Structure formats: structure tokens, C-alpha cells
Amino acid sequence: LGRAEFARVDGRNYLRAMISNPHQPGFFYTELTKPLEEVEKREIIIWMDALTAVEEGRLTKEKVYNSTFAKHRSTLRRYLLCILDDDGEGMMSMPDVYHAPYQGEYVQYFMGVDSAYKGKDNVEVTVTAVGDNRIWVEKTVKIVKKRWVEGKTPKDIINQIVRIAREYDISLACVDVGWGVWLTEGLRDRHINVVGINFGAAPTRARVKNREYSATNALNKRAEMHLDFQDLADNRIVRVSEEVRDVIKDVLPYITSERKASGKIQIRPKEEIKAIIGKSPDEFDSVLLSIHAVVLFFENTAFAISDTSALVGVGASIIDSSI
């Protein structure tokens, strides 16, 4: 068509055709989202999506919903409906809520710990279960630091976390090492399988290598964990107890994302959220850390778990804090 109708002999007016995923950062995404004044007069960008095809009668709804892409809400939005991220809008929806505790035949437990060393904020601990092809965020526990006594207070906090870990036979714990290096080292000394997580570090290397969406699109580890939560909640794989819902419900509406010039997604800074809601979203951070422990333990995105009963006891023993 281009050769017959639009091309000159010298090729200057050839049409340029691109087929790509408009959600994936790259050349096509840049072309699609650049300002109108930068679009050349002879340039036309055609964005064809499943929604338009259905509306025009060229594709049936049944064929769309029976496709592989429609299995999850997130992939349906990205790859079939071609819905881009809405910068500046709340990115999180409340996951399905259940009555805790989770009851299942095969269950493994994981833990996330958000810590504040000597500061006025407390230590937040979240316990999360895996079973029946779902992730169940069971409970959050606040460990209050009344008055910091060097040598005594750290030991008391570690003892409380160890009691929780042993009560649930935790398979893996993820601890925020921004202020929690002392916690990570203390828990390892008590033989708890733990990984130190730096929210500002790069996304998980192994997941980037495997081209997993949350890792390849995230600006840093913090964004990676938020994107995981968003994806898992959208796909109804992460579920939260009523207790956890009450803890995080005031935070979720104010978590927004922004796609930077690099194409990577950045999450609204924690300090901005704290200024809006009047407190630090530490409980939600501990929830994210507990889910990240699941992802790391099974060495894959959590939503890839097909039969958790077969995976009990098979997960990796991860102790490398550089992950």
C-alpha cells in the first residue's frame, strides 16, 4: 500500500509502519506519547486495539475474553485494550477481603518488616500466607519503641520478631534495610531466613533478566514491589484480611505513579504520602515486603504459582542481601 500510493522513486515519502506494545517503554511508546507539535505533518500513528475492533464488529467479545491476554485484568488492559498508565492518578485498588485466619491444607508463611531505627516511628511486621494458589495477607503487628535504650531495645525488638517468625514457621522474611541493618543481622543470628531490602536499590536482577513486567518497568525496588501489589490485586491473587484492609485503606488512594523520561515507573515519594495522610505508610511497606518475600522465595512472580502444595519446602533459601 505504501509503495503503490505514497512512495516516491527516491523513497522520501514511504510510510513507516510499526507494530508494538504501546505500554512497553521504548521507541514505539515514545512515538505514541510525544507532544502533538513534534509530530511531522506526513506522519501518522495508528493505534489499533481490541476495544475498537469489538465496537466496529470486526472482533467478538467472546474471542477477546477467550484469549491468553484476557486471563488477567492487567494483561487485558495493557496488551489488548492498550490502556496506558495514568500518571498522577491512584494506581492501587483494594484487594479482595477475607476473614482471617486463612485455613488451608498446605500453607507457607512469609514476613515483611518495616523498621525505623531510633526514630519515633515503630517497627511494623506483616505475616502473609501462601496456599490454594493465592497470597493471603494475614495480619500486621506494631512493635512499639517506648524509649530507646542502647543494647536493650534492639534486643527486645528482635526477640518479638523472632517469636512471630517461629509461631508461623516463617519460610522467608524481607526486612527494610534503610534503617534495619541491625534487624537483619540480629534475625540471621537467631537463624531466621531473612533478606535485607533497600527500597532505593535497583529492581531484582534475576527478574529483570527474565523480563518480568514489575522489575523491567520499575525505577527502583520500591516501584517493583508496588507494581507487583497492583498486578496481584488486579488479578485477585493477593487477598487481605479485614484487619489488614483497615490498616491500608487510607493509604491506597494516594499511591500514584509517574513514568519518567527513561520509561521507568516511579512511585510517589513516601514523604508526600506521609504529608497527606498525616503518618508514615509503614504498615503498607511491611505488606509489600511480605509479598516480596513470596516472590523471592519461589524465584518467580507470585502469580506464576500454579500449585503451591507442590512447592512447600522447595523454595530457595535466600540469604544474599544484595538481591
Side-chain angles (χ1 to χ4, degrees), residues 105-108 130-133 305-314:
E105 184 177 0
Y106 299 101
V107 189
Q108 277 184 278
V130 172
D132 293 328
N133 306 324
I305 299 172
S306 59
D307 183 6
T308 54
S309 64
L311 292 172
V312 172
V314 181

Side-chain angles (χ1 to χ4, degrees), residues 62-91:
E62 290 72 21
K63 192 165 185 177
V64 172
Y65 286 110
N66 287 333
S67 70
T68 302
F69 291 109
K71 288 183 178 180
H72 299 301
R73 174 184 165 187
S74 55
T75 52
L76 175 66
R77 286 169 55 84
R78 291 171 191 154
Y79 305 124
L80 275 182
L81 303 184
C82 299
I83 298 175
L84 299 172
D85 293 333
D86 294 321
D87 293 347
E89 297 184 7
M91 60 181 287

Side-chain angles (χ1 to χ4, degrees), residues 206-208 210-217 295 299-301:
R207 301 185 71 200
V208 173
N210 291 334
R211 300 193 58 79
E212 296 181 35
Y213 171 80
S214 297
T216 56
N217 284 271
V295 174
E299 299 181 307
N300 206 330
T301 45

Side-chain angles (χ1 to χ4, degrees), residues 142-160:
K142 186 185 300 294
I143 298 178
V144 179
K145 302 194 304 289
K146 296 179 181 179
R147 183 173 67 90
W148 188 271
V149 179
E150 197 66 48
K152 181 179 179 181
T153 305
K155 184 178 179 180
D156 178 61
I157 291 173
I158 289 171
N159 285 340
Q160 292 185 60

Side-chain angles (χ1 to χ4, degrees), residues 62-312:
E62 290 72 21
K63 192 165 185 177
V64 172
Y65 286 110
N66 287 333
S67 70
T68 302
F69 291 109
K71 288 183 178 180
H72 299 301
R73 174 184 165 187
S74 55
T75 52
L76 175 66
R77 286 169 55 84
R78 291 171 191 154
Y79 305 124
L80 275 182
L81 303 184
C82 299
I83 298 175
L84 299 172
D85 293 333
D86 294 321
D87 293 347
E89 297 184 7
M91 60 181 287
M92 298 292 188
S93 57
M94 179 62 70
D96 290 346
V97 179
Y98 72 99
H99 300 287
Y102 164 72
Q103 302 289 336
E105 184 177 0
Y106 299 101
V107 189
Q108 277 184 278
Y109 290 96
F110 299 83
M111 187 164 65
V113 182
D114 185 83
S115 56
Y117 185 73
K118 291 189 178 181
K120 64 180 181 180
D121 291 335
N122 298 300
V123 176
E124 303 291 345
V125 180
T126 295
V127 175
T128 290
V130 172
D132 293 328
N133 306 324
R134 294 287 184 274
I135 299 173
W136 313 82
V137 186
E138 290 275 274
K139 61 187 295 186
T140 61
V141 179
K142 186 185 300 294
I143 298 178
V144 179
K145 302 194 304 289
K146 296 179 181 179
R147 183 173 67 90
W148 188 271
V149 179
E150 197 66 48
K152 181 179 179 181
T153 305
K155 184 178 179 180
D156 178 61
I157 291 173
I158 289 171
N159 285 340
Q160 292 185 60
I161 296 174
V162 168
R163 280 196 290 270
I164 297 171
R166 290 178 177 168
E167 176 186 353
Y168 289 92
D169 191 20
I170 296 296
S171 296
L172 180 66
C174 280
V175 179
D176 166 29
V177 295
W179 294 103
V181 173
W182 58 282
L183 270 181
T184 306
E185 295 173 349
L187 292 172
R188 283 179 182 164
D189 289 342
R190 301 292 294 275
H191 307 292
I192 303 299
N193 194 22
V194 60
V195 177
I197 300 296
N198 182 351
F199 277 69
T204 309
R205 291 193 299 268
R207 301 185 71 200
V208 173
K209 184 178 180 180
N210 291 334
R211 300 193 58 79
E212 296 181 35
Y213 171 80
S214 297
T216 56
N217 284 271
L219 181 68
N220 52 25
K221 180 77 75 171
R222 183 168 183 260
E224 176 187 353
M225 291 191 286
H226 278 77
L227 291 173
D228 272 334
F229 184 91
Q230 179 190 38
D231 207 27
L232 294 165
D234 285 349
N235 295 326
R236 306 182 70 181
I237 291 170
V238 159
R239 301 187 176 186
V240 299
S241 67
E242 294 169 312
E243 172 190 331
V244 174
R245 173 201 59 196
D246 293 340
V247 167
I248 69 174
K249 65 181 181 181
D250 294 333
V251 178
L252 294 186
Y254 301 104
I255 298 175
T256 60
S257 64
E258 176 186 2
R259 195 176 286 275
K260 310 300 286 184
S262 63
K264 301 296 184 180
I265 296 174
Q266 181 182 34
I267 304 301
R268 184 182 219 164
K270 187 174 181 177
E271 294 72 22
E272 290 186 13
I273 298 174
K274 182 177 180 179
I276 294 172
I277 65 177
K279 64 175 184 176
S280 182
D282 296 331
E283 297 98 337
F284 186 65
D285 283 350
S286 72
V287 170
L288 294 176
L289 287 163
S290 71
I291 294 172
H292 196 58
V294 176
V295 174
L296 292 182
F297 187 84
F298 291 108
E299 299 181 307
N300 206 330
T301 45
F303 49 80
I305 299 172
S306 59
D307 183 6
T308 54
S309 64
L311 292 172
V312 172

